[in-house]
Amino acid sequence: MQITTVSDFRKNIKTHLDRVAKNFETLIINRGKDSGIVVMSLEEYNSLMATNHELSSRKNELRLDSAIEKIKTGVTFNKELIEN
């Protein structure tokens, strides 16, 4: 995570945006006391929204937790893809 001021962001906007896009870094633009703006890549934003959606219901959250636990304990299986 990078932090900058509005003035520095204005002066170096291309550099800041390139860094955010290339390195999947989050940039916080400090706007004063307890105020700021977050800049992130579209790919990072979409990933965050997908995770938020998957965890939006307790049922989904429990299913994901169960799947993660199965992977950790090695309780998995392989399935062949059906080709047309």
Side-chain angles (χ1 to χ4, degrees):
M1 175 174 53
Q2 299 288 314
I3 301 173
T4 191
T5 62
V6 174
S7 299
D8 185 58
F9 182 70
R10 276 192 206 120
K11 283 188 246 177
N12 300 300
I13 189 168
K14 182 179 181 334
T15 302
H16 284 297
L17 294 178
D18 287 347
R19 190 178 315 149
V20 166
K22 182 180 177 185
N23 300 328
F24 301 104
E25 289 185 21
T26 302
L27 174 66
I28 296 177
I29 304 170
N30 190 346
R31 299 187 74 202
K33 185 178 180 182
D34 298 327
S35 178
I37 304 294
V38 176
V39 179
M40 66 178 67
S41 70
L42 179 59
E43 188 174 346
E44 190 72 17
Y45 173 80
N46 287 337
S47 175
L48 186 62
M49 290 298 103
T51 300
N52 188 47
H53 174 73
E54 291 297 327
L55 297 176
S56 63
S57 76
R58 183 71 179 143
K59 184 177 178 181
N60 276 354
E61 187 178 351
L62 292 173
R63 284 180 46 225
L64 288 170
D65 287 345
S66 172
I68 290 168
E69 190 60 35
K70 286 177 183 176
I71 289 171
K72 286 181 179 178
T73 59
V75 181
T76 62
F77 61 91
N78 290 325
K79 191 117 173 149
E80 295 296 321
L81 293 177
I82 299 173
E83 294 187 27
N84 293 333

